[in-house]
Amino acid sequence: SVCTGSTITLTDGVLGGIWTSSAGSIASVSSAGLVSGIFVGTAVITYSVSTPCGTAFTTQTVTVNPLPVAGTIIGSTSICPGDSITLTDAISGGIWTSASGAVASVSSTGIVRGVASGTTTISYSVTTGCGTASATHTVTVNSLPNAGALSGPAEVCVGSSITVVSTVSSGTWSISNASAFVSSGGVVIGSAPGTDTVYYSVTNVCGTARSSFIITVNTLPDAGLISGPDSVCLYQVIKLVESVPGGVWDELTAHTIVSSTGSVAGFVLGIDTVVYSLSNECGRSVAQKLVRVVECSNVGVQELSQETALSVFPNPNKGTFTVKGTVGLISEEKAGIEVVNMLGQTIYKSDVLKLNGELDQQVVLSDAANGMYLLKVICGNEQKIFHIMIGQ
């Protein structure tokens, strides 16, 4: 036998003969016995020796075998990682191989499974006694979609906006509920207090990937309302109440002094605006109430005359201070000292002897809390009011 396109050499022990082929289109033979396969089939090769006494010949049948054929691979040219496709070839008996198993693998039956993005060549090889033939098929493994990572501020106020960004492009934005809205550019607008999740989705032939980012929508501050009396007696205290806790009290003028708990002391006749403010990361809200400082007929005392030389020192102090100076008439042997907190509670009261009209008294308030206090010095039917600050 001989393969198409190949040669074999035949020999004979008797010299001087002639080589011939019964089918030169299938197998030819040279004068030296070199047989060339031309076409698939069978030819009889004859070797003839002639003398004057006649011709003798011997023969050998030679089969010309075909070259191997791998056919054509049929099937898809792309795949996603983790997915599979099936390739086929009309020629049976071949072997499937992949040039890069790290990109795609192929089974003995032509099932190709994507491993990682890239390109590989799938081969189908058929081997016979006349050699090996191969058919090839390029397969591209597409990338899985990647939604990247999201970043940006984690909080937004109602009515305000923030921008969330992604590390990849060409995605679409969405949001989980109605606490916020998101635009195509990742701009998030807070609509109601709560927690929301921003999503960014990227889609390709291999599916959809989605990344997420949690945001908190904070409410705007609301200071609520202030309730309580609209007026306070001079040198007396009233209590105002806020409807929303957690804020800060203040006053706009010096007619009153407001404590951190909403107690208002009247110091100067007139009208003051008491302010209660509530702040958060979204801003500041203010509630206001007008409070009038008035003289009350039932106070029962008068202001000490301007000539009274009376002082309090040190002020501010750490709970210990001295009241010293001339107060009242010389004939009045005693003077009263009272300390009142911003809740209107008397925390110290003492009658002090004067010496020739002079008052020199140390007051010790070791348990007094830090804050504003009213100091009253009473002599007869008159009184003097001081504003003192204690900071332990």
Side-chain angles (χ1 to χ4, degrees), residues 230-236 238 253-257 264-272 290-296:
D230 296 326
S231 63
V232 58
C233 294
L234 187 66
Y235 308 130
Q236 301 297 312
I238 61 172
T253 68
H255 292 82
T256 64
I257 293 179
V264 180
F267 271 90
V268 179
L269 295 175
I271 298 176
D272 205 345
L290 295 178
V291 176
R292 183 183 297 272
V293 182
V294 298
E295 284 192 284
C296 298

Side-chain angles (χ1 to χ4, degrees), residues 81-99:
D83 291 343
S84 62
I85 56 175
T86 299
L87 302 181
T88 61
D89 194 292
I91 307 300
S92 61
I95 296 175
W96 295 94
T97 57
S98 172

Side-chain angles (χ1 to χ4, degrees), residues 296-311:
C296 298
S297 60
N298 61 353
V299 172
V301 293
Q302 299 175 351
E303 178 77 7
L304 286 169
S305 64
Q306 294 295 324
E307 288 76 20
T308 299
L310 194 64
S311 62

Side-chain angles (χ1 to χ4, degrees), residues 75-79 83-87 110-114 137 139:
S76 176
T77 58
S78 66
I79 190 175
D83 291 343
S84 62
I85 56 175
T86 299
L87 302 181
I111 298 175
V112 179
R113 181 171 297 276
H137 190 79
V139 173

Side-chain angles (χ1 to χ4, degrees), residues 1 45 64 122 149 160 190 203-204 215 226 324 334 346-347 390:
S1 63
I45 303 299
V64 180
I122 303 299
S160 297
T203 301
N204 65 12
I215 61 169
I226 301 174
K324 187 174 182 179
K334 293 183 178 181
T346 299
I347 65 169
I390 294 179

Side-chain angles (χ1 to χ4, degrees), residues 24-39:
S25 60
I26 293 176
S28 63
V29 62
S30 70
S31 59
L34 184 65
V35 179
S36 300
I38 298 173
F39 196 77

